[in-house]
Amino acid sequence: MADNLEIRRASTSVSVDIYDQTYNLRAHDPEYIQRLATIVDSKMRAVSANGNTVDSLRVAVLAALNIADELMRLQEHCRLLKGTMSETQTIFRLRASSLSGLLDSVLDEEHRQSETVPVSAAAGMPTVSSLANQLH
């Protein structure tokens, strides 16, 4: 019950015009509601301009169907993008795992070879030329 009171206090009254009708609404974000009303009004006017009907209820239903169609198409597009993103992430994980394995095997091979590198008599260290030869 307290939540409802907070919602009522937080919302403000906004007046919008949709298809030559004025609606007084309560909203938390009046600018957002105004943008929505503009979309609905535009859609209704487009339906009316392309059709033979003057019945505002019929125009509203056809506009709602158009908006629902746009929503469904965008949801499907989003679903496809999420699927593509998931596939891409899987490919990247597999590639990273493969590269990590290759790097480990190269480092292990270098470690094994470093144990058999000839030691320079003067410094007690492998010579630069012997290390370079092992890398090729």
Side-chain angles (χ1 to χ4, degrees):
M1 182 97 159
D3 289 340
N4 288 342
L5 291 175
E6 287 181 33
I7 291 172
R8 287 184 193 151
R9 280 189 223 125
S11 62
T12 58
S13 182
V14 60
S15 179
V16 296
D17 292 319
I18 301 173
Y19 203 64
D20 299 328
Q21 295 285 325
T22 300
Y23 298 90
N24 294 309
L25 307 170
R26 296 190 67 68
H28 294 287
D29 186 352
E31 290 176 13
Y32 178 72
I33 297 300
Q34 187 62 52
R35 288 193 313 259
L36 294 177
T38 300
I39 291 168
V40 172
D41 182 67
S42 297
K43 192 61 73 176
M44 288 181 71
R45 291 186 187 284
V47 165
S48 177
N50 291 328
N52 302 359
T53 186
V54 291
D55 179 17
S56 61
L57 178 59
R58 185 170 173 83
V59 169
V61 168
L62 292 173
L65 285 171
N66 278 291
I67 293 168
D69 178 54
E70 288 177 15
L71 174 64
M72 294 293 286
R73 289 174 191 267
L74 288 171
Q75 286 175 335
E76 177 64 15
H77 184 70
C78 244
R79 189 187 65 75
L80 291 173
L81 286 175
K82 285 180 183 176
T84 301
M85 190 171 71
S86 177
E87 291 170 13
T88 302
Q89 287 174 341
T90 300
I91 290 169
F92 281 155
R93 283 188 193 108
L94 289 172
R95 168 107 6 120
S97 177
S98 173
L99 290 173
S100 176
L102 288 171
L103 184 59
D104 286 345
S105 67
V106 167
L107 291 174
D108 285 346
E109 181 65 27
E110 284 182 5
H111 179 71
R112 277 185 255 127
Q113 288 180 357
S114 70
E115 292 174 354
T116 60
V117 172
V119 177
S120 168
M125 299 291 293
T127 63
V128 172
S129 61
S130 67
L131 289 174
N133 287 336
Q134 287 186 6
L135 291 176
H136 294 290

